[in-house]
Amino acid sequence: MSAVEGVGPAAVPQLQAQVEQIIAEAKRQGASACEVAVSVEQGLSTSVRRGEVETVEFNRDQGFGITLYVGQRKGSASTSASGEAAIRETVAAALAIAKHASEDECAGLADAALMARELPQLDLYHAWAISPEQAIEQALRCEAAAFAEDPRIKNADGTTLNTHQGCRVYGNSHGFVGGYASTRHSLSCVMIAEEGGQMQRDYWYDVNRQGELLTDAADIGRRAAQRTVSRLGARPVPTCEVPVLFSAESATGLFGHFLSAISGGNLYRQSSFLEGALGQQLFPEWLKLDERPHIPRALGSAAFDGDGLATYAKSFVEGGELLSYVLGTYSGRKLGMPSTANAGGVYNLFVSHGDEDQQALLKRMGRGLLVTELMGHGLNLVTGDYSRGAGGYWVENGEIQFPVQEVTIAGNLRDMFRQIVAVGSDLELRSNIRTGSVLIERMTVAGS
């Protein structure tokens, strides 16, 4: 396996040839079926702090992973090495594992008839011609704007610009070979404010397939500073039961938990509180959750899933009712259901929303907690019990009164989903999950 010259679309044919070479070697060594993913990627990461350059890192990686089958026995191996010897040795290692594995009646490739036939072009690759010097200049400009925004910004915790490009090809012994190149660029700024002996930390960032479309560096710095300063004077609140409004960036986590709860792996292991929930009303009737995998340039777009099946638009929730689980080939077989072409996850989840922005939702809430930060991992997926450390702002009469810290918000996800009052129009566009702010009717806020 020779080194690949580039990482853009021109690398796809070379990687496809490598996939076919690896599949041929697996068959030669006695595998009854196999699947291979080959990738090459490179990136530049630059970080600055207090006007000084902290790191400039360039990385380039290439490698492949193979999963092969001997009947119903499965073995996997991967390597970052290249060359024919590496292919032979990695295939042999996977074969040795398969021969020692237990038989699994659900193991094996997806049905050959289900393989993706036509792969739409999703425009995911936009190389950014930015030099290390230009990346440093952007990061410094971002941080300088944050320091200039407010005299209470006393320190910085790192401003980082990342640019990444890569190419990935998946193929299997059914004859399917598909590949694509993609890019991802980001700029983030973390600042520290101080006043009256109290210090607070907050951040802002942007991410895009196209580096030129990132929010202006100075605007990101100013937003990071404003958010940080607004946290000064934060304090706990007495324990109470009140409405809670999750900001859009915090709300993505709620729907991420939901996707975990309806994912095949957790369902067949009987480790999800939504086991057997198909057809149940889980959300208000007006709420819809649907997947749109073919949006050009979107962060979660994909033409095929991890099994080589064509992705397609579908609803997981409609009219508040759970219509579909999130299934790959293996988890579908374990549950006796067809794959939903979601091996590897969900590709661009959209949450239905109204026309009220966050300010309007604060007015509707009246009195309660606006959550802008979540800490810890207090979720029991078996029961749905949810308890997280939180930071944000106390709201009275629909207006923010003061920042809040050192509180815990608690509830059960089943109750929380049913008690969603509204989803805002302030959509979070930097995530695979597109949602606005989410207002929940009642949760326990535990403070002082």
Side-chain angles (χ1 to χ4, degrees), residues 248-268:
E249 60 265 26
S250 301
T252 58
L254 288 179
F255 295 106
H257 297 324
F258 172 72
L259 292 178
S260 294
I262 63 167
S263 70
N266 288 319
L267 292 166
Y268 79 70

Side-chain angles (χ1 to χ4, degrees), residues 100-163:
H100 288 93
S102 301
E103 288 204 3
D104 183 345
E105 62 181 10
C106 296
L109 303 179
D111 191 315
L114 299 177
M115 293 294 113
R117 294 284 178 256
E118 295 179 12
L119 302 179
Q121 295 301 311
L122 300 176
D123 197 20
L124 305 181
Y125 183 83
H126 294 270
W128 192 11
I130 187 169
S131 67
E133 292 77 16
Q134 291 168 324
I136 290 167
E137 186 275 330
Q138 283 221 32
L140 288 172
R141 190 162 65 87
C142 181
E143 185 189 76
F147 274 116
E149 179 66 16
D150 195 292
R152 291 170 290 179
I153 296 291
K154 301 294 188 185
N155 207 340
D157 206 12
T159 297
T160 303
L161 187 147
N162 286 311
T163 173

Side-chain angles (χ1 to χ4, degrees), residues 84-102:
E84 291 186 9
I87 291 175
R88 282 196 305 274
E89 290 166 11
T90 307
V91 168
L95 205 57
I97 293 167
K99 287 176 179 175
H100 288 93
S102 301

Side-chain angles (χ1 to χ4, degrees), residues 186-335:
S186 64
L187 177 60
S188 65
C189 179
V190 187
M191 302 305 290
I192 297 169
E194 186 175 355
E195 185 177 52
Q198 188 190 63
M199 296 174 71
Q200 290 289 345
R201 175 182 179 274
D202 214 322
Y203 68 96
W204 197 243
Y205 75 100
D206 197 18
V207 59
N208 204 296
R209 295 277 188 197
Q210 297 170 260
E212 296 84 358
L213 295 185
L214 285 173
T215 301
D216 181 74
D219 289 342
I220 290 175
R222 283 190 284 268
R223 184 75 181 271
Q226 291 161 5
R227 285 170 56 92
T228 306
V229 167
S230 75
R231 304 280 309 134
L232 288 167
R235 59 186 192 264
V237 292
T239 297
C240 53
E241 279 200 7
V242 290
V244 170
L245 177 63
F246 288 81
S247 67
E249 60 265 26
S250 301
T252 58
L254 288 179
F255 295 106
H257 297 324
F258 172 72
L259 292 178
S260 294
I262 63 167
S263 70
N266 288 319
L267 292 166
Y268 79 70
R269 294 186 187 97
Q270 299 182 313
S271 59
S272 169
F273 71 100
L274 292 182
E275 184 189 351
L278 269 185
Q280 290 182 14
Q281 180 97 22
L282 299 178
F283 294 90
E285 285 187 2
W286 52 264
L287 194 136
K288 177 180 180 179
L289 299 177
D290 66 300
E291 179 185 33
R292 306 177 197 175
H294 297 164
I295 298 172
R297 296 178 298 284
L299 293 173
S301 294
F304 56 91
D305 79 343
D307 294 329
L309 274 61
T311 53
Y312 61 97
K314 69 181 79 69
S315 292
F316 291 108
V317 171
E318 199 153 347
E321 180 184 323
L322 179 61
L323 300 183
S324 172
Y325 292 140
V326 176
L327 304 174
T329 298
Y330 183 79
S331 60
R333 286 174 182 159
K334 294 289 278 188
L335 293 167

